[in-house]
Amino acid sequence: MAKTVELKIPADIEYRVIGNAFGLLIVSAGLLTGEMFRLRSFDYWLDDIVPLFLLVLLGYKLFRNFLSTMNAYQGVATPADVIRDRNIHNALKSEPAAVAQIAAKTGYTTEQVVAEVAKRIEVQKAEALKKNKPNN
């Protein structure tokens, strides 16, 4: 028996992704103005522990919400897909016989091939005689 997995995705997932992205930008700006970057040394990381913690936390939440958003929109058709499918459907509906009118492949027997080759050789010989005949 197959088990079904149900994903609980909140309705405002897009806003959470955008909010976490902006929060990550703000924390990055705070980290850039912190002691580590001002003094150019990782020895002062303890002074910037709050921005570092927020950077890790918001980065994790952004990644998790981004994956949830991609899973939620995986099977949703875009407007371009809908238009393309509608155009294909209309084209097939307007010309249903265009696909079915492909000519059947004809096969030649060996006798037919030999006869056609012999005719071509005779025609080429006749043309060669006409070209090489001197004019009187």
Side-chain angles (χ1 to χ4, degrees), residues 24-38 44-45 47-53 55-56:
L24 201 61
L25 286 173
I26 292 169
V27 168
S28 297
L31 192 60
L32 286 173
T33 59
E35 291 292 318
M36 282 193 311
F37 285 95
R38 190 167 51 89
Y44 299 100
W45 69 271
D47 293 339
D48 292 334
I49 192 73
V50 173
L52 286 172
F53 174 73
L55 184 75
V56 170

Side-chain angles (χ1 to χ4, degrees), residues 3 5 7 13 20 27-28 31-32 39 50-51 57 74-75 77 80-83 102 106 110 116 118 122 125 130 136:
K3 292 183 179 180
V5 177
L7 294 174
I13 191 72
N20 286 329
V27 168
S28 297
L31 192 60
L32 286 173
L39 299 174
V50 173
L57 179 71
Q74 190 172 14
D81 293 337
V82 172
I83 291 171
I102 298 174
T106 57
T110 55
E116 287 296 321
E122 292 298 324
K125 282 183 183 177
K130 287 180 186 178
N136 290 345

Side-chain angles (χ1 to χ4, degrees), residues 15-78:
Y15 298 118
R16 287 186 182 192
V17 170
I18 294 169
N20 286 329
F22 282 126
L24 201 61
L25 286 173
I26 292 169
V27 168
S28 297
L31 192 60
L32 286 173
T33 59
E35 291 292 318
M36 282 193 311
F37 285 95
R38 190 167 51 89
L39 299 174
R40 294 188 180 106
S41 175
F42 286 112
D43 295 334
Y44 299 100
W45 69 271
L46 198 53
D47 293 339
D48 292 334
I49 192 73
V50 173
L52 286 172
F53 174 73
L54 290 175
L55 184 75
V56 170
L57 179 71
L58 288 175
Y60 172 73
K61 287 176 67 176
L62 176 66
F63 181 71
R64 190 182 62 181
N65 287 333
F66 180 74
L67 288 180
S68 297
T69 304
M70 290 298 111
N71 285 336
Y73 286 112
Q74 190 172 14
V76 176
T78 61

Side-chain angles (χ1 to χ4, degrees), residues 124-135:
Q124 288 176 354
K125 282 183 183 177
E127 288 177 2
L129 287 174
K130 287 180 186 178
K131 287 182 182 177
N132 291 336
K133 197 175 202 183
N135 291 338

